[in-house]
Amino acid sequence: MSVPEDEERLLPLAQRWPRASKFLLSGCAATVAELGTRAPTPGPLRRVAEAPRRVVVAGAGSGRAEGTRRWLGSPLCAHARLRPLFHTCPADVGATRQGQGKTISKIFTFTKTCATFPLDLTKTRLQMQGEAALARLGGSARESAPYRGMVRTALGIVQEEGFLKLWQGVTPAIYRHVVYSGGRMVTYEHLREVVFGKSEDKHYPLWKSVIGGMMAGVVGQFLANPTDLVKVQMQMEGKRKLEGKPLRYRGVHHAFAKILAEGGIRGLWAGWVPNIQRAALVNMGDLTTYDTVKHYLVLNTPLEDNIMTHSLSSLCSGLVASILGTPADVIKSRIMNQPRDKQGRGLLYKSSTDCLIQAVQGEGFMSLYKGFLPSWLRMTPWSLVFWLTYEKIREMSGVSPF
């Protein structure tokens, strides 16, 4: 039986457009995680984040939670179709039950102060360090600097390029996570609920979760490949300047335009094969681990579907995702950053398999785990913030728990 048009307009956004809502909600959660695990929010973003807080405080009756629900259910918010965007605010994340809200706010503030985004830049620099394939371009092209660990690499960036360069590439990283997270979450839940389906006792077999996680990673990363390509290349601009090479890009939009002009649409998907391979492994670790651990804890322990369960599950997922994804991440970063000829063909590697073979033969097997420590240290708080935020905004939007 169809719902009358007038009544349909009164339905919550999540019921009218369930998949679009989940895409936006996951994209918002990813943005919170990306911004929350780097430097403090800039002025304009802070003012936007504080706007719902003022509305929440004005809410009467049952306190902040009721005020938040009234704001999110207001005609203005629903009519503008901006409801999911307001869930990105720290105020919304904390404006729930008193105990849980304070805990989430503290976690958010802590991870925000930690500023872990520089670990992503450090990881990328470590992955390029000592690249054996550069010897084919001539002796002068190969890196002559001594090997640096994570701390010395980060300190070197500050001393040689400046403190703010630790956040180089953050803009395309945010673009990437909005598209990537939205695509992977919608795909995974569609596969879980519609294609594979749960058993009668709501148990989801591990093998289904593995397949679903890998397929979700492939879809999400393929959509986000252009932003990932720009992020990796911009993160290496500081190193090019130190080596006396001309800078390739003036900014994010110039990078997109230049890559598109030189390589066409296909140029924006350079390195997409190793990229989706990495994403498949990372999401097999992230989505599969989180989903499996969470539902195991809910079904087999006294823990309920609450912040404690979400935190434990996200910590496990961050570790497994880093272990599985680092080798593919090294291959992906090197292929994306390699020099190319006028036709857009790579000069160092023919394929991801060729890159893998050259790395192992020239640098040893452990070269595939270059940058693992900063990757793990960044992935853990990112995963924690993302899953806590995502679960909370789903609850506040009337969407069932993940």
Side-chain angles (χ1 to χ4, degrees), residues 19-343:
R19 292 177 186 172
S21 297
K22 290 176 182 179
F23 183 95
L24 289 173
L25 291 176
S26 57
C28 289
T31 303
V32 171
E34 196 68 16
L35 291 174
T37 52
R38 67 177 187 97
T41 308
L45 285 178
R46 186 181 293 114
R47 287 195 292 272
V48 173
E50 287 174 353
R53 182 187 296 273
R54 290 193 290 270
V55 177
V56 170
V57 174
S62 58
R64 288 189 173 185
E66 181 63 26
T68 301
R69 293 187 181 94
R70 288 182 180 180
W71 163 253
L72 295 172
S74 64
L76 173 63
C77 192
H79 178 70
R81 290 173 172 78
L82 293 177
R83 179 179 174 184
L85 299 180
F86 290 102
H87 293 305
T88 64
C89 304
D92 292 339
V93 177
T96 52
R97 297 181 185 87
Q98 220 171 15
Q100 291 186 5
K102 290 181 180 179
T103 304
I104 295 176
S105 297
K106 289 178 182 178
I107 293 174
F108 185 91
T109 303
F110 173 76
T111 53
K112 193 171 186 178
T113 306
C114 285
T116 61
F117 184 84
L119 291 171
D120 190 65
L121 176 64
T122 304
K123 174 204 71 175
T124 302
R125 295 289 181 88
L126 285 170
Q127 290 172 344
M128 306 298 179
Q129 194 169 225
E131 199 169 357
L134 287 173
R136 295 191 319 188
L137 296 181
S140 60
R142 187 168 183 178
E143 184 179 11
S144 58
Y147 181 84
R148 290 175 171 179
M150 181 187 73
V151 176
R152 290 182 61 191
T153 298
L155 291 176
I157 294 172
V158 174
Q159 294 171 354
E160 298 163 359
E161 304 172 39
F163 178 74
L164 294 180
K165 292 298 181 180
L166 289 171
W167 284 271
Q168 190 165 20
V170 67
T171 302
I174 293 174
Y175 293 165
R176 180 244 180 193
H177 275 293
V178 170
V179 179
Y180 168 70
S181 295
R184 72 178 184 132
M185 300 306 294
V186 171
T187 302
Y188 182 80
E189 289 199 70
H190 177 75
L191 292 173
R192 184 181 67 179
E193 307 296 338
V194 178
V195 178
F196 294 131
K198 294 182 179 180
S199 59
E200 294 182 358
D201 59 352
K202 295 186 177 182
H203 176 69
Y204 194 54
L206 179 61
W207 68 270
K208 290 184 179 180
S209 184
V210 169
I211 296 176
M214 295 182 71
M215 293 180 66
V218 168
V219 172
Q221 190 56 68
F222 182 80
L223 296 174
N225 194 83
T227 55
D228 212 4
L229 175 67
V230 171
K231 185 198 78 168
V232 170
Q233 294 197 5
M234 289 192 68
Q235 286 179 330
M236 296 304 296
E237 288 294 272
K239 184 179 177 182
R240 287 178 61 87
K241 186 176 181 180
L242 291 176
E243 294 174 347
K245 299 177 181 179
L247 297 181
R248 294 173 289 188
Y249 313 116
R250 295 190 300 268
V252 178
H253 300 99
H254 178 246
F256 277 110
K258 187 175 180 180
I259 294 174
L260 185 61
E262 293 178 352
I265 294 294
R266 292 183 61 183
L268 292 173
W269 269 266
W272 70 273
V273 174
N275 213 1
I276 65 172
Q277 290 171 346
R278 170 194 174 274
L281 293 173
V282 168
N283 281 275
M284 183 175 66
D286 185 24
L287 290 175
T288 301
T289 302
Y290 181 85
D291 197 13
T292 302
V293 172
K294 174 188 170 180
H295 289 94
Y296 176 83
L297 293 176
V298 171
L299 295 174
N300 297 280
T301 70
L303 292 176
E304 299 179 356
D305 192 350
N306 53 26
I307 185 174
M308 179 61 68
T309 303
H310 303 160
S311 300
L312 292 174
S313 303
S314 62
L315 291 174
C316 294
S317 68
L319 174 61
V320 177
S322 297
I323 293 174
L324 294 178
T326 298
D329 196 20
V330 172
I331 303 302
K332 178 265 297 184
S333 296
R334 292 189 172 189
I335 289 182
M336 284 187 162
N337 189 63
Q338 69 175 324
R340 298 181 180 276
D341 58 20
K342 294 182 179 180
Q343 286 73 40

Side-chain angles (χ1 to χ4, degrees), residues 364-377:
F365 177 79
M366 291 309 297
S367 65
L368 299 177
Y369 278 90
K370 285 183 176 180
F372 170 76
L373 183 57
S375 177
W376 174 53
L377 293 177

